[in-house]
């Protein structure tokens, strides 16, 4: 780039020049102290005394080493740590596989739906010689990933069904489904989680006690399905009528045409929006900590709030967690831009 | 055709029967459970004393005041954080959106980093960080930081010049902290900062997408007419982009209202957290949650109506 072009970009006019100078000044003022705090003065070993001696002049990354198992796996029994680790690896692995191209076309949806189904017996145990671990003890990263993957796997079929239902010729069905979608989209997720926490137990008949985790998952599926149904409905409306005419000309029946002509095209077209919903759900799973399920955000609180020694280094542990969420979102965003459903 | 029509009718009747039956079953089971647990039902509890106080509130509410007053105070608290939040988010979001489209690579990079970071970290986690910063890292009230003349910030919040008992007051350091003026609590500030920065990042992205989605001919034609790049942006691109961005931006602002319900996590007494407290005290889960759901549905309806009106007002003027 020529010098003149550079000059125009950084000092094109008064406003531009002032902004450039302001940002350079801010960088000179703040970046060196930040670097000193995060790297030069920082302590990397899990040693409370050394961290306290810093008196906040440097970061205490030792808190991450000290609390990593608790933040990542929650209250899961330490002796069985390999099970939540494997469960998280299965789900994260399927996302990596789709994002980085190993998985394509028809295999994508089963590959994303299967790992959460495998993760449940792996975490729960009680078969194949694995000791039973109650769902209250599941937590950390595997729980965050499980809620996201299982939530999407449950919500997508339901969302597709609702989208079709809202196009049916039965006014009663249409009205009911429209009511459901508007209700779910109108309320905050916390309200839905409170319903799962306080109301669902009242609805179930006597003798049926369902764990909080499954009640929350039901709420998440119903909540997300309303959003997904709107995405799929948009895709169905955008599909050109000629596609159906051509299918009819070839002798396809209604359901045959939907299965082989309509749905594959619609899902491919709306795949980026579906991935955006997955990102939103991934972040929203942090709310389940409010109804006492300790996924990543909740286990951060559990790990530090009761520990007066390490609690002052909350910010460092927080940054570790923020980095995990950021990476998860980036991974899902990559799935969205790769539109992997393309054959 | 007639067979088909009557089949449809039968199917619809079946659906109605199934749904009504399901709800009836749920109602019967629920009523039984409530009776077993000795919980009365009905909205009469709204007229009884609340039995709890709110951490802060625009309306003065005591534990002895009736419960509906506490709910109203909670709704006011939601609006107190969401309305200024919406205005600030629009302003900051617009600036950041422009920043992402700027010629200057430094400005573009900074705006891009901001949008990227704040959109990809859960709002709840952001709120927890702001709350930690405001309550743990700031100095105690007797050693408050002076940000500007009469503006102090400390663990007990932000003190601002405001009208008090004795007319307009300027906060001053006193014996045990700051005296005079108005106080914003750390809970309120954490909610406001967190909601604004999170929503503004989304609004910035929406605006940027709207500008980039305009046909490139618009820019080229305006440049060919001799407009400067800044004129092109302000007079040609921006007005069109705003029209396209209006529906998604409205839905972002509605999300801000819904996200205000995360207040329960850091102890700001918004509507949802008042409902949660009342639910724990009275056990009337159905009634408390119905109130929350109805209020939020009404807010959504109002937002839809406002958005509709704005869209109609900003329609293209048709040549006559």
């Amino acid at each position: 780039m020529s010098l003149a072009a550079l000059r125009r970009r950084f000092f094109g006019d008064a406003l531009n020049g002032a902004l450039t100078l302001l940002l350079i000044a801010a960088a000179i003022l703040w970046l060196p102290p930040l670097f000193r705090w995060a790297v030069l003065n920082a302590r990397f070993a899990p040693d409370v005394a050394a961290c306290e001696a810093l008196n906040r002049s440097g970061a205490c990354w030792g808190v991450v080493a000290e609390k990593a198992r608790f933040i990542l796996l929650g209250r899961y029994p330490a002796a069985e740590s390999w099970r939540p680790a494997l469960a998280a690896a299965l789900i994260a692995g399927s996302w990596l596989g789709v994002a980085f191209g190993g998985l394509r076309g028809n295999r994508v949806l089963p590959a994303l739906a299967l790992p959460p189904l495998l993760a449940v017996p792996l975490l729960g145990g009680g078969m194949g010689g694995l000791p039973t671990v109650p769902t209250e003890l599941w937590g950390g990263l595997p729980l965050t990933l499980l809620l996201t993957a299982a939530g999407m796997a449950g919500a997508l079929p339901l969302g597709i069904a609702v989208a079709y239902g809202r196009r049916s010729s039965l006014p009663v069905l249409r009205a009911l489904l429209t009511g459901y979608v508007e209700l779910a989209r109108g309320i905050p997720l916390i309200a839905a989680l409170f319903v799962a926490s306080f109301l669902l137990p009242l609805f179930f008949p006597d003798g049926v006690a369902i764990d909080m985790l499954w009640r929350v998952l039901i709420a998440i599926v119903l909540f997300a399905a309303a959003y997904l149904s709107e995405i799929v409905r948009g895709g169905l409306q955008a599909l050109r009528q000629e596609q159906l005419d051509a299918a009819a000309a070839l002798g396809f029946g209604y359901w045959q045409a939907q299965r082989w002509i309509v749905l594959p095209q619609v899902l491919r077209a709306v795949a980026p929006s579906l991935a955006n919903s997955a990102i939103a759900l991934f972040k929203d799973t942090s709310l389940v900590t409010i109804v006492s399920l300790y996924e990543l955000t909740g286990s951060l609180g559990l790990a530090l709030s009761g520990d007066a020694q390490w609690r002052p280094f909350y910010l460092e542990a927080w940054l570790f967690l923020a980095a995990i969420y950021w990476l998860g979102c980036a991974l899902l965003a990559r799935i969205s831009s790769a539109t992997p459903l393309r054959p | 055709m007639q067979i088909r029509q009557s089949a449809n009718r039968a199917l619809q009747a079946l659906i109605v029967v199934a749904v009504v039956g399901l709800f009836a079953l749920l109602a019967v089971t629920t009523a039984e459970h409530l009776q077993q647990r000795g919980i009365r039902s009905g909205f009469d509890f709204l007229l009884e004393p609340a039995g709890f106080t709110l951490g802060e509130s625009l309306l003065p509410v005591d534990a002895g005041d009736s419960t509906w007053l506490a709910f109203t105070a909670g709704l006011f608290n939601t609006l107190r954080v969401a309305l200024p939040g919406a205005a600030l988010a629009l302003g900051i979001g617009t600036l950041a959106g422009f920043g992402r489209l700027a010629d200057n690579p430094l400005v573009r990079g900074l705006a891009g980093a901001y949008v990227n970071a704040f959109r990809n970290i859960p709002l709840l986690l952001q709120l927890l960080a702001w709350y930690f910063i405001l309550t743990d890292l700031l100095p105690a009230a007797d050693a408050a930081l002076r940000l500007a003349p009469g503006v102090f910030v400390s663990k007990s919040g932000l003190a601002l010049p405001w009208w008090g008992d004795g007319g307009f007051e300027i906060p001053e350091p006193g014996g045990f902290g700051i005296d005079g003026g108005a106080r914003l609590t750390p809970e309120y500030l954490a909610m406001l900062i967190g909601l604004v920065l999170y929503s503004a990042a989304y609004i910035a992205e929406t605006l940027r997408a709207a500008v980039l989605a305009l046909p490139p001919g618009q820019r080229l034609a305006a440049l060919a007419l001799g407009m400067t790049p800044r004129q092109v942006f302000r007079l040609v691109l921006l007005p069109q982009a705003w029209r396209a961005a209006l529906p998604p931006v409205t839905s972002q602002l509605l999300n801000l209202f819904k996200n205000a319900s995360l207040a329960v996590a850091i102890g700001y007494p918004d509507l949802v957290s008042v409902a949660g407290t009342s639910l724990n005290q009275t056990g009337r889960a159905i009634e408390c949650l119905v109130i929350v759901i109805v209020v939020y549905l009404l807010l959504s309806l109002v937002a839809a109506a406002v958005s509709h009106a704005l869209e109609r007002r900003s329609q293209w003027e048709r040549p006559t």
Side-chain angles (χ1 to χ4, degrees):
Chain A
M1 200 186 293
S2 73
L3 205 60
L6 274 180
R7 224 194 84 144
R8 206 185 55 238
R9 287 198 149 193
F10 287 98
F11 298 97
D13 53 29
L15 176 66
N16 212 342
L19 283 173
T20 302
L21 291 178
L22 197 71
L23 288 177
I24 290 175
I28 292 173
L29 210 61
W30 288 328
L31 285 186
L34 184 66
F35 185 69
R36 226 175 299 138
W37 178 81
V39 182
L40 294 182
N41 290 351
R43 291 281 179 279
F44 296 88
D47 176 354
V48 170
C51 283
E52 278 167 354
L54 286 171
N55 200 15
R56 295 205 190 281
S57 66
C60 174
W61 298 116
V63 67
V64 176
E66 172 78 18
K67 298 288 183 186
R69 201 195 69 81
F70 204 96
I71 292 175
L72 290 176
L73 304 181
R75 295 181 295 169
Y76 206 87
E80 302 284 326
S81 287
W82 65 272
R83 283 158 60 185
L86 181 61
L90 277 174
I91 297 174
S94 69
W95 296 3
L96 284 166
V98 177
F100 291 97
L103 286 162
R104 279 259 164 289
N106 287 338
R107 284 175 303 168
V108 167
L109 291 179
L112 290 174
L114 194 60
L117 289 179
L118 294 175
V120 170
L122 184 61
L123 289 167
M127 58 176 90
L130 296 176
T132 306
V133 178
T135 55
E136 298 98 77
L137 295 182
W138 303 8
L141 183 62
L143 186 57
T144 294
L145 293 174
L146 177 67
L147 286 172
T148 311
M152 283 302 284
L156 184 57
L158 184 60
I160 293 174
V162 171
Y164 271 97
R166 289 190 67 184
R167 290 163 62 89
S168 92
S169 55
L170 307 176
V172 170
L173 185 64
R174 281 204 307 266
L176 279 172
L177 292 175
T178 307
Y180 151 66
V181 170
E182 293 306 324
L183 177 69
R185 282 168 15 112
I187 62 173
L189 178 57
I190 291 198
L193 292 177
F194 276 169
V195 169
S197 167
F198 296 109
L199 291 195
L200 281 190
L202 296 175
F203 292 163
F204 292 126
D206 286 319
V208 181
I210 298 184
D211 286 354
M212 178 70 99
L213 174 62
W214 307 127
R215 280 185 265 143
V216 160
L217 194 57
I218 291 173
I220 285 180
V221 165
L222 289 175
F223 188 79
Y227 287 84
L228 295 190
S229 80
E230 285 293 274
I231 294 174
V232 173
R233 202 164 65 94
L236 286 171
Q237 271 168 359
L239 193 79
R240 293 170 55 160
Q241 180 62 33
E242 291 91 324
Q243 295 283 335
L244 283 176
D245 296 342
L250 288 173
F252 279 57
Y254 177 79
W255 292 111
Q256 271 182 317
Q258 299 302 320
R259 167 68 187 84
W260 298 106
I261 312 284
V262 176
L263 261 185
Q265 295 191 66
V266 166
L267 287 183
R268 220 163 277 167
V270 300
S273 305
L274 295 178
N276 278 340
S277 289
I279 295 178
L281 179 58
F282 176 63
K283 290 188 293 170
D284 279 346
T285 56
S286 59
L287 302 198
V288 304
T289 167
I290 292 169
V291 290
S292 314
L293 284 177
Y294 298 100
E295 44 57 71
L296 278 175
T297 307
S299 60
L300 172 73
L302 270 188
L304 289 180
S305 58
D307 189 338
Q309 270 192 316
W310 286 105
R311 198 188 127 68
F313 310 106
Y314 182 86
L315 213 54
E316 288 87 335
W318 185 92
L319 284 169
F320 170 63
L321 209 54
I324 295 178
Y325 275 112
W326 193 88
L327 281 176
C329 288
L331 192 58
L332 290 169
R334 213 191 131 81
I335 293 182
S336 127
S337 60
T339 49
L341 291 174
R342 233 166 263 288
Chain B
M1 207 58 213
Q2 256 186 354
I3 296 175
R4 172 114 202 217
Q5 259 180 10
S6 47
N8 269 354
R9 276 209 197 106
L11 199 53
Q12 299 200 56
L14 203 67
I15 294 172
V16 172
V17 170
V19 170
V20 170
L22 180 70
F23 275 101
L25 187 68
L26 288 181
V28 170
T29 333
T30 309
E32 256 172 39
H33 286 160
L34 290 178
Q35 210 168 23
Q36 281 166 14
R37 293 174 203 189
I39 301 171
R40 288 178 306 139
S41 52
F43 284 93
D44 53 311
F45 75 106
L46 286 175
L47 297 174
E48 288 160 18
F52 59 90
T53 52
L54 274 64
E56 60 182 293
S57 150
L58 281 181
L59 302 174
V61 180
D62 281 335
D65 282 326
S66 41
T67 310
W68 71 267
L69 212 59
F71 272 89
T72 314
L75 176 60
F76 273 41
N77 275 341
T78 298
L79 297 176
R80 184 162 83 105
V81 73
L83 287 175
L88 288 171
L90 262 184
I92 295 177
T94 311
L95 282 181
F98 291 178
R100 292 210 69 182
L101 295 162
D103 271 337
N104 190 326
L106 289 177
V107 174
R108 217 167 46 217
L110 182 72
Y114 157 66
V115 168
N116 205 328
F118 281 77
R119 267 167 40 113
N120 289 324
I121 296 172
L123 175 59
L124 179 65
L125 201 61
Q126 296 187 31
L127 291 174
L128 292 175
W130 291 118
Y131 191 58
F132 176 79
I133 291 171
L134 288 166
T135 53
D136 273 53
L137 296 189
L138 286 179
D142 51 7
L145 282 179
R146 185 166 172 272
L147 295 182
V151 180
F152 294 89
V153 64
S154 69
K155 273 190 189 11
S156 42
L158 181 74
L160 290 168
W162 198 252
W163 286 270
D165 299 329
F168 192 72
E169 296 173 355
I170 293 177
E172 308 239 344
F176 301 99
I178 309 293
D179 296 331
R183 203 77 74 252
L184 296 177
T185 63
E187 289 81 14
Y188 175 79
L189 289 172
M191 278 313 292
L192 188 69
I193 299 173
L195 279 177
V196 164
L197 291 181
Y198 185 77
S199 310
Y202 275 92
I203 291 172
E205 200 54 13
T206 308
L207 269 183
R208 185 181 81 109
V211 171
L212 290 182
L214 294 173
Q218 294 287 328
R219 197 179 75 88
L220 297 177
L223 286 174
L225 288 173
M227 288 179 161
T228 67
R230 193 152 290 161
Q231 279 178 321
V232 173
F233 186 72
R234 199 166 58 85
L235 298 173
V236 178
L237 300 184
L238 202 56
Q240 302 188 62
W242 256 119
R243 280 191 189 103
L246 212 50
V249 166
T250 326
S251 94
Q252 293 302 342
L253 293 179
L254 186 58
N255 278 344
L256 186 148
F257 271 84
K258 287 195 266 173
N259 284 335
S261 61
L262 296 194
V264 66
I266 58 170
Y268 178 73
D270 79 316
L271 176 70
V272 174
S273 86
V274 168
T277 314
S278 179
L279 189 162
N280 278 328
Q281 293 232 333
T282 60
R284 304 217 182 163
I286 302 173
E287 293 82 352
C288 289
L289 290 174
V290 162
I291 293 173
V292 169
I293 289 170
V294 166
V295 168
Y296 268 99
L297 287 182
L298 286 178
L299 281 177
S300 299
L301 275 181
V302 170
V306 169
S307 153
H308 236 78
L310 281 177
E311 268 170 63
R312 227 175 311 130
R313 268 190 56 185
S314 68
Q315 286 296 321
W316 299 105
E317 282 175 28
R318 287 174 210 290
T320 45

